[in-house]
Amino acid sequence: MSRTVWREYMPAIVVAVAALVLWEAAVRGFQIERFLLPAPSAIVTNFIENFERLVHIGWFTTKEALGGFFIGCSLGILAAFITARWVAVNEAILPFAIAANSVPILAFAPIVNNWFGVDNPLSKMIIVAVIVFFPVMINTIRGLTLVDKNALELMHSYAASEVEILWKLRTPNALPYIFNAFKIAAALSMIGAVVSEYFGGNRSALGVFITQEAALFRFENAWSAIIIACIVGITFYLIIVAVERAVIPWYFEQRKAERH
Amino acid sequence: MTNTPTVSLKNVTKIFNPGQPNEVTALKNINLDIWPHEFVSLVGPSGCGKSTLLRLIADLTQPTEGTVQVNGKSAYRARIEQDYGIVFQSPTLYEWRTVAKNVELPLELMKYGRAERRERARKMLQLVELEGFENHHPWQLSGGMQQRVSIARALAFDPALLLMDEPFGALDEMTRERMNLELQNIWDRTGATIVFVTHSIPEAVFLSNRVVMLSPRPGCIAEIVDIDLPMPRAWEVREDPHYFELVNHLRDTLREIEGGMRE
Ligand SMILES: Nc1ncnc2c1ncn2[C@@H]1O[C@H](COP(=O)(O)OP(=O)(O)O)[C@@H](O)[C@H]1O
Ligand SMILES: [Mg+2]
């Protein structure tokens, strides 16, 4: 078990270590100025020194990301299920949802900040929720409608009602799509929260901290904050993968079986 | 009782996309009665309307003209009252369900109690010789086993009519032969009426009471052949001279039809 895990992740670890070594060597060898790129060792030292403060501001932004994630995902799934009742409506909505999804919603961040108050975490949650809403809705609609034709005919042969078809066929069919959307949404929600904080916000928010420290030439501080953002993002993603494995184990086992 | 056919098609015509440039007359003026506990096979070149005919009986598509009756009522009523079980060419199992849960699916929809569902699934899986696989998932089974699960599922609620659309088309020769014997066995034990689509004439002759040969464009009945070999049939029937005669006769008919298609 641990051997296969090791074999699976070893290439990634090797690449990461090699990149860090190269980075450190390049900064030292070419004497790169620290405002351009600090050495990994300098960032790590800074990270350890400021750990408590970083956790504090990291948690502040994580709460915004989580809030936006839950609001956006719930509404996205809800919208998909409501429209899924009418497959034709659903298919008509999809192109609009895809178009809306390509609108750079982050551009609205300063406006939303004004609406709800720059210091109010709610303004960030709303930005995140809107960003997350569309991919979740689109993927859920796809999962509910891209159903095997025979699987659907089988239901018709049993004279199953639309509600029964929704629960016993469309929903299980959509679960892998929904979890995929959650993974996309997890990444987007952290990006959305941090970047909308770039346009102003509470002093103890990650995005605000990064812009201020960078403006004051305290680049190691900014880099440490970025590391915190990365750690949160990756943790978020891994939690979703774990939940996915618990909820739809058949999906993984099947794909594993197909690979062999 | 026996004077009501299980399936009765009267002057059935099916036109897809009528009035449009891609209009297809899939079936024209079909008349066919299938009687209780008959095993009837539909054969013919591909595209001659075999699947369409089966789907008309199943009320998964409706005739443009004519009437389809099942057990003396409309095909629609028969579908609503779950008078038939259907098996497609692909097993069409739900991968999120275990084997037993797949067999239980129609029973859940028909509001059978949990204990009865379990019991029936167990019995059906025994019938198709898959006991011990209840908790497996579909992808853990071979193609032949998956198709057996889908047969168990079709039989789970004791339908008097079983509709099968090339159920063994995707299986290798050995598995197919075994499945033929097994299906005959099931037919014998359940007393069901079976309408069976296949492109294999030997398979049709081996299994059936009657073989219906369809010809295409538009799909109509070219010939109905009574298979007067004694039932039940052992595998050795395939060495019987009369069996050969019937197979060869149907092959000649098919060749004539296909010759006509090329002209
Ligand atoms: N849903 C459909 N729409 C349009 N044409 C169809 C449809 N289903 C079948 N057909 C046409 O009807 C004819 C008979 O098809 P089918 O019943 O599938 O034949 P078979 O099962 O004998 O191969 C073919 O010409 C096919 O193209
Ligand atoms: Mg067909």
Side-chain angles (χ1 to χ4, degrees), chain A residues 144-162:
Chain A
L144 292 173
T145 50
L146 293 180
V147 173
D148 178 61
K149 194 178 132 285
N150 278 332
L152 198 57
E153 288 219 315
L154 188 71
M155 280 294 189
H156 291 315
S157 83
Y158 300 136
S161 69
E162 277 302 319

PDB file of all heavy atoms in Angstrom, chain A residues 144-162:
ATOM      1  N   LEU A 144     -26.578  15.718 -14.716  1.00  0.00           N
ATOM      2  CA  LEU A 144     -27.991  15.325 -14.662  1.00  0.00           C
ATOM      3  C   LEU A 144     -28.547  14.997 -16.038  1.00  0.00           C
ATOM      4  O   LEU A 144     -29.493  14.225 -16.160  1.00  0.00           O
ATOM      5  CB  LEU A 144     -28.826  16.447 -14.033  1.00  0.00           C
ATOM      6  CG  LEU A 144     -28.601  16.729 -12.542  1.00  0.00           C
ATOM      7  CD1 LEU A 144     -29.360  17.970 -12.107  1.00  0.00           C
ATOM      8  CD2 LEU A 144     -29.022  15.541 -11.690  1.00  0.00           C
ATOM      9  N   THR A 145     -27.977  15.609 -17.080  1.00  0.00           N
ATOM     10  CA  THR A 145     -28.545  15.408 -18.422  1.00  0.00           C
ATOM     11  C   THR A 145     -27.757  14.414 -19.269  1.00  0.00           C
ATOM     12  O   THR A 145     -28.341  13.742 -20.111  1.00  0.00           O
ATOM     13  CB  THR A 145     -28.649  16.740 -19.182  1.00  0.00           C
ATOM     14  OG1 THR A 145     -27.402  17.410 -19.100  1.00  0.00           O
ATOM     15  CG2 THR A 145     -29.735  17.625 -18.624  1.00  0.00           C
ATOM     16  N   LEU A 146     -26.435  14.320 -19.076  1.00  0.00           N
ATOM     17  CA  LEU A 146     -25.643  13.379 -19.886  1.00  0.00           C
ATOM     18  C   LEU A 146     -25.788  11.969 -19.318  1.00  0.00           C
ATOM     19  O   LEU A 146     -24.865  11.410 -18.738  1.00  0.00           O
ATOM     20  CB  LEU A 146     -24.170  13.785 -19.917  1.00  0.00           C
ATOM     21  CG  LEU A 146     -23.836  15.083 -20.636  1.00  0.00           C
ATOM     22  CD1 LEU A 146     -22.340  15.352 -20.582  1.00  0.00           C
ATOM     23  CD2 LEU A 146     -24.306  15.041 -22.088  1.00  0.00           C
ATOM     24  N   VAL A 147     -26.979  11.423 -19.508  1.00  0.00           N
ATOM     25  CA  VAL A 147     -27.299  10.109 -18.966  1.00  0.00           C
ATOM     26  C   VAL A 147     -27.343   9.120 -20.125  1.00  0.00           C
ATOM     27  O   VAL A 147     -27.824   9.450 -21.211  1.00  0.00           O
ATOM     28  CB  VAL A 147     -28.663  10.160 -18.246  1.00  0.00           C
ATOM     29  CG1 VAL A 147     -29.108   8.784 -17.826  1.00  0.00           C
ATOM     30  CG2 VAL A 147     -28.593  11.081 -17.045  1.00  0.00           C
ATOM     31  N   ASP A 148     -26.817   7.927 -19.894  1.00  0.00           N
ATOM     32  CA  ASP A 148     -26.814   6.891 -20.919  1.00  0.00           C
ATOM     33  C   ASP A 148     -28.236   6.634 -21.434  1.00  0.00           C
ATOM     34  O   ASP A 148     -29.169   6.497 -20.658  1.00  0.00           O
ATOM     35  CB  ASP A 148     -26.229   5.612 -20.324  1.00  0.00           C
ATOM     36  CG  ASP A 148     -26.233   4.466 -21.317  1.00  0.00           C
ATOM     37  OD1 ASP A 148     -25.584   4.594 -22.353  1.00  0.00           O
ATOM     38  OD2 ASP A 148     -26.915   3.451 -21.044  1.00  0.00           O
ATOM     39  N   LYS A 149     -28.372   6.593 -22.763  1.00  0.00           N
ATOM     40  CA  LYS A 149     -29.691   6.487 -23.388  1.00  0.00           C
ATOM     41  C   LYS A 149     -30.397   5.196 -22.965  1.00  0.00           C
ATOM     42  O   LYS A 149     -31.591   5.195 -22.660  1.00  0.00           O
ATOM     43  CB  LYS A 149     -29.513   6.529 -24.909  1.00  0.00           C
ATOM     44  CG  LYS A 149     -30.774   6.772 -25.693  1.00  0.00           C
ATOM     45  CD  LYS A 149     -30.451   6.847 -27.184  1.00  0.00           C
ATOM     46  CE  LYS A 149     -31.385   6.003 -28.012  1.00  0.00           C
ATOM     47  NZ  LYS A 149     -31.148   4.545 -27.955  1.00  0.00           N
ATOM     48  N   ASN A 150     -29.655   4.104 -22.936  1.00  0.00           N
ATOM     49  CA  ASN A 150     -30.253   2.840 -22.525  1.00  0.00           C
ATOM     50  C   ASN A 150     -30.671   2.864 -21.060  1.00  0.00           C
ATOM     51  O   ASN A 150     -31.714   2.314 -20.699  1.00  0.00           O
ATOM     52  CB  ASN A 150     -29.275   1.687 -22.749  1.00  0.00           C
ATOM     53  CG  ASN A 150     -29.292   1.199 -24.179  1.00  0.00           C
ATOM     54  OD1 ASN A 150     -30.304   1.305 -24.863  1.00  0.00           O
ATOM     55  ND2 ASN A 150     -28.171   0.699 -24.640  1.00  0.00           N
ATOM     56  N   ALA A 151     -29.841   3.492 -20.228  1.00  0.00           N
ATOM     57  CA  ALA A 151     -30.167   3.574 -18.798  1.00  0.00           C
ATOM     58  C   ALA A 151     -31.499   4.303 -18.602  1.00  0.00           C
ATOM     59  O   ALA A 151     -32.298   3.949 -17.745  1.00  0.00           O
ATOM     60  CB  ALA A 151     -29.051   4.288 -18.044  1.00  0.00           C
ATOM     61  N   LEU A 152     -31.720   5.300 -19.438  1.00  0.00           N
ATOM     62  CA  LEU A 152     -32.957   6.072 -19.366  1.00  0.00           C
ATOM     63  C   LEU A 152     -34.140   5.249 -19.888  1.00  0.00           C
ATOM     64  O   LEU A 152     -35.217   5.222 -19.287  1.00  0.00           O
ATOM     65  CB  LEU A 152     -32.787   7.345 -20.192  1.00  0.00           C
ATOM     66  CG  LEU A 152     -33.754   8.491 -19.946  1.00  0.00           C
ATOM     67  CD1 LEU A 152     -33.727   8.902 -18.484  1.00  0.00           C
ATOM     68  CD2 LEU A 152     -33.375   9.677 -20.823  1.00  0.00           C
ATOM     69  N   GLU A 153     -33.915   4.525 -20.999  1.00  0.00           N
ATOM     70  CA  GLU A 153     -34.986   3.688 -21.553  1.00  0.00           C
ATOM     71  C   GLU A 153     -35.389   2.601 -20.567  1.00  0.00           C
ATOM     72  O   GLU A 153     -36.563   2.244 -20.477  1.00  0.00           O
ATOM     73  CB  GLU A 153     -34.524   3.042 -22.864  1.00  0.00           C
ATOM     74  CG  GLU A 153     -34.440   4.045 -23.994  1.00  0.00           C
ATOM     75  CD  GLU A 153     -34.928   3.468 -25.299  1.00  0.00           C
ATOM     76  OE1 GLU A 153     -34.552   2.325 -25.608  1.00  0.00           O
ATOM     77  OE2 GLU A 153     -35.687   4.166 -26.001  1.00  0.00           O
ATOM     78  N   LEU A 154     -34.389   2.091 -19.851  1.00  0.00           N
ATOM     79  CA  LEU A 154     -34.685   1.075 -18.844  1.00  0.00           C
ATOM     80  C   LEU A 154     -35.688   1.628 -17.833  1.00  0.00           C
ATOM     81  O   LEU A 154     -36.670   0.978 -17.494  1.00  0.00           O
ATOM     82  CB  LEU A 154     -33.388   0.675 -18.139  1.00  0.00           C
ATOM     83  CG  LEU A 154     -33.497  -0.508 -17.191  1.00  0.00           C
ATOM     84  CD1 LEU A 154     -33.686  -1.794 -17.977  1.00  0.00           C
ATOM     85  CD2 LEU A 154     -32.271  -0.594 -16.303  1.00  0.00           C
ATOM     86  N   MET A 155     -35.442   2.870 -17.384  1.00  0.00           N
ATOM     87  CA  MET A 155     -36.360   3.521 -16.452  1.00  0.00           C
ATOM     88  C   MET A 155     -37.749   3.671 -17.064  1.00  0.00           C
ATOM     89  O   MET A 155     -38.757   3.435 -16.411  1.00  0.00           O
ATOM     90  CB  MET A 155     -35.815   4.901 -16.060  1.00  0.00           C
ATOM     91  CG  MET A 155     -34.750   4.843 -15.004  1.00  0.00           C
ATOM     92  SD  MET A 155     -35.472   4.251 -13.452  1.00  0.00           S
ATOM     93  CE  MET A 155     -34.130   4.535 -12.328  1.00  0.00           C
ATOM     94  N   HIS A 156     -37.791   4.060 -18.351  1.00  0.00           N
ATOM     95  CA  HIS A 156     -39.097   4.199 -19.013  1.00  0.00           C
ATOM     96  C   HIS A 156     -39.801   2.853 -19.100  1.00  0.00           C
ATOM     97  O   HIS A 156     -41.015   2.767 -18.970  1.00  0.00           O
ATOM     98  CB  HIS A 156     -38.921   4.801 -20.406  1.00  0.00           C
ATOM     99  CG  HIS A 156     -38.497   6.238 -20.376  1.00  0.00           C
ATOM    100  ND1 HIS A 156     -39.083   7.160 -19.540  1.00  0.00           N
ATOM    101  CD2 HIS A 156     -37.547   6.913 -21.060  1.00  0.00           C
ATOM    102  CE1 HIS A 156     -38.506   8.340 -19.717  1.00  0.00           C
ATOM    103  NE2 HIS A 156     -37.561   8.217 -20.636  1.00  0.00           N
ATOM    104  N   SER A 157     -39.020   1.797 -19.324  1.00  0.00           N
ATOM    105  CA  SER A 157     -39.644   0.476 -19.436  1.00  0.00           C
ATOM    106  C   SER A 157     -40.305   0.084 -18.116  1.00  0.00           C
ATOM    107  O   SER A 157     -41.238  -0.708 -18.100  1.00  0.00           O
ATOM    108  CB  SER A 157     -38.616  -0.572 -19.859  1.00  0.00           C
ATOM    109  OG  SER A 157     -37.871  -1.048 -18.749  1.00  0.00           O
ATOM    110  N   TYR A 158     -39.805   0.625 -16.990  1.00  0.00           N
ATOM    111  CA  TYR A 158     -40.439   0.359 -15.699  1.00  0.00           C
ATOM    112  C   TYR A 158     -41.511   1.392 -15.385  1.00  0.00           C
ATOM    113  O   TYR A 158     -42.024   1.424 -14.265  1.00  0.00           O
ATOM    114  CB  TYR A 158     -39.400   0.389 -14.569  1.00  0.00           C
ATOM    115  CG  TYR A 158     -38.283  -0.617 -14.711  1.00  0.00           C
ATOM    116  CD1 TYR A 158     -36.966  -0.262 -14.463  1.00  0.00           C
ATOM    117  CD2 TYR A 158     -38.549  -1.934 -15.084  1.00  0.00           C
ATOM    118  CE1 TYR A 158     -35.936  -1.182 -14.577  1.00  0.00           C
ATOM    119  CE2 TYR A 158     -37.528  -2.853 -15.205  1.00  0.00           C
ATOM    120  CZ  TYR A 158     -36.228  -2.475 -14.951  1.00  0.00           C
ATOM    121  OH  TYR A 158     -35.212  -3.376 -15.070  1.00  0.00           O
ATOM    122  N   ALA A 159     -41.794   2.270 -16.343  1.00  0.00           N
ATOM    123  CA  ALA A 159     -42.776   3.339 -16.129  1.00  0.00           C
ATOM    124  C   ALA A 159     -42.410   4.189 -14.922  1.00  0.00           C
ATOM    125  O   ALA A 159     -43.275   4.625 -14.164  1.00  0.00           O
ATOM    126  CB  ALA A 159     -44.188   2.751 -15.987  1.00  0.00           C
ATOM    127  N   ALA A 160     -41.110   4.420 -14.731  1.00  0.00           N
ATOM    128  CA  ALA A 160     -40.655   5.238 -13.599  1.00  0.00           C
ATOM    129  C   ALA A 160     -41.063   6.693 -13.817  1.00  0.00           C
ATOM    130  O   ALA A 160     -41.085   7.170 -14.950  1.00  0.00           O
ATOM    131  CB  ALA A 160     -39.139   5.134 -13.445  1.00  0.00           C
ATOM    132  N   SER A 161     -41.374   7.390 -12.721  1.00  0.00           N
ATOM    133  CA  SER A 161     -41.753   8.798 -12.827  1.00  0.00           C
ATOM    134  C   SER A 161     -40.494   9.655 -12.981  1.00  0.00           C
ATOM    135  O   SER A 161     -39.387   9.191 -12.731  1.00  0.00           O
ATOM    136  CB  SER A 161     -42.498   9.225 -11.566  1.00  0.00           C
ATOM    137  OG  SER A 161     -41.598   9.235 -10.478  1.00  0.00           O
ATOM    138  N   GLU A 162     -40.676  10.910 -13.389  1.00  0.00           N
ATOM    139  CA  GLU A 162     -39.531  11.810 -13.554  1.00  0.00           C
ATOM    140  C   GLU A 162     -38.773  11.967 -12.229  1.00  0.00           C
ATOM    141  O   GLU A 162     -37.543  12.056 -12.225  1.00  0.00           O
ATOM    142  CB  GLU A 162     -39.989  13.182 -14.063  1.00  0.00           C
ATOM    143  CG  GLU A 162     -40.175  13.252 -15.578  1.00  0.00           C
ATOM    144  CD  GLU A 162     -38.905  12.901 -16.371  1.00  0.00           C
ATOM    145  OE1 GLU A 162     -37.798  13.321 -15.970  1.00  0.00           O
ATOM    146  OE2 GLU A 162     -39.018  12.195 -17.385  1.00  0.00           O
TER     147      GLU A 162
END
